[in-house]
Amino acid sequence: QQMKVPPGAWICTAKSPTKVTIALYGTPQCAITRDWYFGTIAPLVKQHPDKVSIVMGQFWFARPHPDGEEIARLMLAARQHGKFCSAMKSLFDLLALEASAGRLTPAGKKALATQLGLDLGALEAEASSATVTSALQADKDYAASIGVKATPTIFVNGRPLPRFDKQALRSMVEEELNK
C-alpha cells in the first residue's frame, strides 16, 4: 500500500522504520492544522515514539495562509541541512504563539534560524533556491496526484482519514498498531 508520502520527505520519528506513518498535508500557519498537530498527531507520536511517525507534505491556500509558501520554503530549506523535523516543530510552536497571531514575523524567522542553529540570511537564500523551488513543486504535484484538496489532509499508512474526526484518527492509528 502506497504510504502517501511526498518525494524526498523526511519522516519525523524516534526510530525508523515505524509501524505507523501519519502523513499530514497542510501548513503550520493553518489554525486547524495546528489544532490537529498539537491536539492529536504530536500526542500520538509521543505516546508511541518507536511505532508512530509523522511526515508533512507542503499544502496551503494563499488566501487564508498568506505565509504558506514562505513557511514551506523555509521547512524545505531546513531539510537541506537535515533539520526538516526540527523546523516543522519549531514553526508549529512559533505560529501558535499569541504574539505571532499565526503569521510568520521577522522575529519568528530569526527565532527559527536560531533554534535550528542556522544563519537566517543563508536559510532565506536557500529557501529561494532552485533546489527548494523544485522540491516545493514536487510536493504540490504529489499532493494533487493523491487527491489532497484541503488543509489539513491526513493519511495513516496510506489510508485517508475517513472523516474529519480526531477520534477516527486515534482509532486508525490504534488499528494499525494492532495489526
Side-chain angles (χ1 to χ4, degrees):
Q1 185 171 21
Q2 186 183 13
M3 293 302 292
K4 308 287 193 254
V5 173
W10 281 72
I11 297 177
C12 302
T13 182
K15 174 184 152 187
S16 183
T18 58
K19 191 166 187 174
V20 180
T21 299
I22 300 170
L24 170 66
Y25 288 82
T27 174
Q29 186 172 27
C30 175
I32 298 167
T33 301
R34 284 195 311 271
D35 180 54
W36 277 78
Y37 175 80
F38 287 119
T40 308
I41 296 170
L44 282 166
V45 173
K46 186 175 182 177
Q47 182 181 357
H48 307 284
D50 293 335
K51 296 179 181 171
V52 178
S53 58
I54 180 175
V55 63
M56 185 166 190
Q58 308 307 313
F59 189 81
W60 70 94
F61 295 102
R63 178 170 249 160
H65 314 125
D67 303 327
E69 182 173 347
E70 184 176 15
I71 290 165
R73 286 178 170 282
L74 288 168
M75 281 195 284
L76 293 172
R79 181 171 83 180
Q80 304 301 312
H81 299 275
K83 297 186 179 213
F84 178 86
C85 299
S86 297
M88 178 187 73
K89 182 184 180 323
S90 291
L91 283 161
F92 271 111
D93 290 342
L94 288 167
L95 293 167
L97 294 174
E98 189 175 332
S100 80
R103 294 300 306 264
L104 185 60
T105 64
K109 287 190 276 189
K110 185 175 181 179
L112 172 67
T114 299
Q115 289 171 9
L116 298 176
L118 299 172
D119 175 75
L120 177 58
L123 184 64
E124 288 180 318
E126 188 144 15
S128 299
S129 72
T131 299
V132 167
T133 298
S134 175
L136 182 60
Q137 190 61 51
D139 260 28
K140 288 168 65 176
D141 291 347
Y142 185 75
S145 79
I146 61 172
V148 174
K149 292 182 171 93
T151 59
T153 296
I154 301 168
F155 297 89
V156 177
N157 284 356
R159 294 178 16 222
L161 186 64
R163 60 189 182 284
F164 209 60
D165 174 87
K166 292 177 182 176
Q167 186 53 50
L169 176 59
R170 287 188 282 274
S171 295
M172 283 181 76
V173 169
E174 291 301 324
E175 177 185 320
E176 292 294 320
L177 287 171
N178 290 325
K179 281 186 177 179

